[in-house]
Amino acid sequence: MSVLWPRLTASIAVAQFESVKTAVPAGSTSHPAQIYSAVGGRHVTPKEIESLAGELGELAQSFGFPQRTGDSERIQFDRRAAEIIHRHMDLSWSEAAARDVWSFLALIALPDLTYWRFGIRNIERWVGSDLTRHTWGRLWWQHVTFASEPGLLDALTESDLNQLLERRSIGGDARLVRALARGIINRENDSESRRRLIREVTAQMRRRLAFVDVRSLDEERLSSLVSRLIDRAQDTSRV
Amino acid sequence: MANSDVLPYFVPSSQAWKVPEWQMRALDEWSDLPEWIEGWDPDTDLLLRMVQEIDPDRIRTECRLPAGASLILTVSWISSSSLMTGTVFSREILPSPSIVEVELPAKEIGGTVTLVTTVSVRDDNDLASPGAPRFAGSILLRHETRVAVEGAGAMFPVAIVDFATTPFDTNASWKLEVTEDLEAPFLGGFQLLLNSRDVDLVKAVTSGSTDPRSVLLVEDLEAGVASLLTELALDFGSELTAASEWEPDSVGNVLTRFLDGAKSNGLDAMPHGAEATAAFRSKLNGVVRALSMGRPFA
């Protein structure tokens, strides 16, 4: 049975964010205005929330928390944290798509870790809106997308992931995302060149999706399609 | 929907296949797939089937494909709650008629599920005749059907909260949480919160009571929420109409329905000025009633 986590609806989350901006509180397991989805499983227990916070806290400490650390350490933290969050949060995909679940996690359960990871300037990292940007929601979904090939996730930068996942026509198809990631990693290491390449190849793929059902392609044919689009994108970039 | 899009190659006529008619297995029996599965258990996978009847020779001829070109039947799903997709069937088309059974994973689907069935070509064809499909995966036939597994029974998810613990006015009866992300799933972005301090309203909504006072309270709530949605739709007007189509059950899709309802009842813009505001409020009251929401006239 899936587990339901508390939700903090948008207005309440924004008010809580304003409060966190003045003083970051310690993590908690509940908020008086939290709600739950009406259907879909049992409620998570306070002990389970503490267990997630505890394991993530230990991981963060191994990467320098609570001291400020470099991007590299925090990105390595993300990669390891994705598996931990997914293991502790046995959510249905509908529940994991609920923005309010992630607002609760950032603002109530893990405010100290959220602050350490992204600071307080960007509300999208705290209040769930775009789940490819939220501190914790994006990691849960990254794990789902790359669970069968975790090495791919390790090889991608935050910018790469944003470009691959932000358009739902591509980002909503985990197999397609992995095929694109595989093809791109094998071709381009320079971050700026890679950014241009992903932008061009995802644009070409979206045009192709208007008349090609990529879900009908086996792995070999999908890989071949990606490879040809990358060839063309690289030619375009050189012109 | 079958081949309504204009594709850059020849596609077969509609006689080349029998449009899939899906059935669902429930309580050990097969029945036609409904538009809404009432009481769906989110821990139980959805077992569906259809009879595949496809004329491959006719498809190859009408699409100018080589005689031996392989054709693939693919069934996939898109979930409105997560906008994720998955493939549940993809293989070379079977001799017709054949039964195709698929299982939709309960943990991954939600909201309204769009079931997409395609017939496509398996291989690239670099020597394609003029007008023939050249790329592997080129869609020749396509059909979509939708089934709501969550959220079709109520207008919104409703939750009860003490407004003293929120930024909302403690004397307010309700608050509709909204999102401005028109592409977001509606049920993920809109949530109706009731103030637990309004004991009568909470009781009326949660008990389903048919006593006259409870009915009036619920009708008043419904009218208030519908009015707000209509105002939001008018506010978003140009953005809503700029898109040719919104994903099913997205915020844009639902608000467009309210916009259409308002326009068809003569309300097409937000007001400016005292007189216009007064006239707008009166008109809005009528529009909501015309849309069968809130308290009807006796």
Side-chain angles (χ1 to χ4, degrees):
Chain A
M1 178 186 282
S2 294
V3 179
L4 301 176
W5 281 63
R7 300 179 177 201
L8 218 54
T9 61
S11 302
I12 298 167
V14 169
Q16 183 70 18
F17 177 69
E18 292 303 319
S19 165
V20 168
K21 272 170 41 176
T22 58
V24 179
S28 167
T29 58
S30 66
H31 183 278
Q34 72 190 31
I35 62 171
Y36 290 89
S37 170
V39 291
R42 68 169 179 85
H43 292 189
V44 69
T45 64
K47 198 171 173 185
E48 287 171 317
I49 298 174
E50 286 169 353
S51 175
L52 169 63
E55 190 168 346
L56 280 178
E58 284 175 20
L59 177 68
Q61 282 172 10
S62 73
F63 284 100
F65 173 81
Q67 307 303 318
R68 297 300 297 164
T69 52
D71 284 349
S72 168
E73 285 81 8
R74 281 179 283 154
I75 288 166
Q76 285 179 57
F77 165 81
D78 281 354
R79 300 296 177 261
R80 301 264 302 276
E83 184 277 327
I84 293 172
I85 291 169
H86 193 267
R87 177 157 42 81
H88 281 264
M89 298 182 76
D90 180 23
L91 309 178
S92 70
W93 287 13
S94 279
E95 181 77 353
R99 278 78 174 145
D100 300 347
V101 166
W102 301 109
S103 296
F104 173 87
L105 202 66
L107 290 157
I108 306 302
L110 306 170
D112 46 355
L113 296 180
T114 309
Y115 179 76
W116 171 74
R117 178 61 188 87
F118 276 114
I120 202 74
R121 281 187 302 177
N122 188 348
I123 193 171
E124 281 187 313
R125 303 299 190 183
W126 294 79
V127 176
S129 53
D130 177 351
L131 291 187
T132 66
R133 309 278 178 184
H134 188 275
T135 304
W136 309 110
R138 79 193 209 294
L139 298 186
W140 195 96
W141 282 105
Q142 284 170 12
H143 182 82
V144 165
T145 302
F146 293 100
S148 62
E149 290 180 77
L152 281 179
L153 183 56
D154 293 338
L156 294 166
T157 68
E158 195 70 14
S159 167
D160 298 339
L161 287 163
N162 287 343
Q163 287 182 285
L164 287 169
L165 297 172
E166 65 190 353
R167 303 275 189 164
R168 298 316 294 164
S169 59
I170 292 174
D173 186 340
R175 191 178 77 120
L176 177 58
V177 171
R178 290 195 301 274
L180 285 165
R182 216 179 295 124
I184 287 159
I185 287 166
N186 290 337
R187 294 287 188 99
E188 194 59 75
N189 284 320
D190 173 70
S191 61
E192 186 53 42
S193 303
R194 195 189 271 187
R195 187 175 300 127
R196 279 200 302 272
L197 178 60
I198 297 177
R199 186 171 61 234
E200 183 59 34
V201 81
T202 51
Q204 287 192 22
M205 181 59 83
R206 287 201 307 277
R207 288 195 286 274
R208 194 59 73 93
L209 290 177
F211 61 93
V212 165
D213 185 356
V214 290
R215 292 165 289 210
S216 75
L217 304 177
D218 58 24
E219 289 295 342
E220 182 186 335
R221 288 175 177 82
L222 179 59
S223 176
S224 169
L225 168 61
V226 167
S227 186
R228 270 183 285 119
L229 294 186
I230 290 175
D231 286 343
R232 187 184 295 179
Q234 287 185 318
D235 289 345
T236 305
S237 300
R238 288 190 195 104
V239 172
Chain B
M1 186 179 79
N3 285 16
S4 60
D5 298 330
V6 177
L7 296 170
Y9 44 76
F10 288 111
V11 292
S13 59
S14 57
Q15 288 79 32
W17 76 338
K18 183 173 179 241
V19 171
E21 292 175 3
W22 287 97
Q23 292 189 314
M24 175 183 76
R25 184 142 179 100
L27 302 173
D28 293 332
E29 285 188 5
W30 290 99
S31 56
D32 290 345
L33 184 66
E35 291 182 3
W36 171 37
I37 301 175
E38 190 173 0
W40 177 64
D41 173 5
D43 286 316
T44 303
D45 294 341
L46 208 54
L47 191 59
L48 307 178
R49 75 173 184 188
M50 61 104 166
V51 178
Q52 175 223 282
E53 289 188 55
I54 298 172
D55 184 343
D57 292 333
R58 183 170 190 152
I59 291 174
R60 293 187 191 103
T61 302
E62 293 183 349
C63 298
R64 303 188 185 185
L65 288 165
S70 292
L71 304 175
I72 303 291
L73 178 72
T74 302
V75 182
S76 56
W77 54 264
I78 304 167
S79 168
S80 73
S81 60
S82 64
L83 300 179
M84 294 294 287
T85 182
T87 305
V88 283
F89 185 96
S90 188
R91 62 179 82 146
E92 203 150 331
I93 58 171
L94 307 163
S96 292
S98 294
I99 291 177
V100 174
E101 273 192 21
V102 300
E103 200 165 306
L104 274 56
K107 199 147 192 173
E108 298 176 11
I109 60 174
T112 296
V113 179
T114 303
L115 203 59
V116 183
T117 309
T118 64
V119 175
S120 58
V121 289
R122 188 185 66 174
D123 297 302
D124 288 323
N125 181 7
D126 295 334
L127 304 174
S129 311
R134 290 180 50 216
F135 299 115
S138 294
I139 299 167
L140 307 175
L141 294 160
R142 186 175 200 277
H143 175 262
E144 285 186 9
T145 192
R146 293 189 180 117
V147 54
V149 296
E150 295 173 317
M155 199 173 185
F156 299 105
V158 177
I160 298 154
V161 172
D162 180 354
F163 277 19
T165 65
T166 73
F168 317 137
D169 193 301
T170 52
N171 290 314
S173 289
W174 55 269
K175 163 77 165 61
L176 183 65
E177 292 283 54
V178 301
T179 175
E180 295 185 356
D181 180 357
L182 298 177
E183 293 181 354
F186 182 78
L187 289 178
F190 282 64
Q191 167 88 45
L192 182 59
L193 298 177
L194 302 183
N195 188 354
S196 61
R197 291 164 180 248
D198 190 342
V199 176
D200 289 347
L201 179 62
V202 169
K203 190 176 166 193
V205 170
T206 55
S207 70
S209 169
T210 54
D211 77 79
R213 178 170 160 76
S214 293
V215 170
L216 272 178
L217 285 169
V218 172
E219 286 174 345
D220 183 56
L221 172 66
E222 186 182 62
V225 171
S227 298
L228 176 54
L229 285 171
T230 305
E231 289 184 62
L232 287 173
L234 290 168
D235 211 27
F236 276 114
S238 57
E239 285 176 69
L240 290 171
T241 50
S244 59
E245 191 177 15
W246 295 99
E247 287 293 323
D249 297 332
S250 63
V251 173
N253 175 256
V254 173
L255 289 184
T256 297
R257 294 206 293 269
F258 276 88
L259 184 64
D260 292 343
K263 285 183 172 175
S264 66
N265 285 284
L267 197 59
D268 54 12
M270 293 295 284
H272 299 286
E275 177 53 36
T277 300
F280 175 84
R281 287 285 158 203
S282 174
K283 184 70 185 168
L284 183 59
N285 180 258
V287 166
V288 167
R289 185 167 285 116
L291 295 174
S292 302
M293 284 176 273
R295 182 173 60 83
F297 289 146

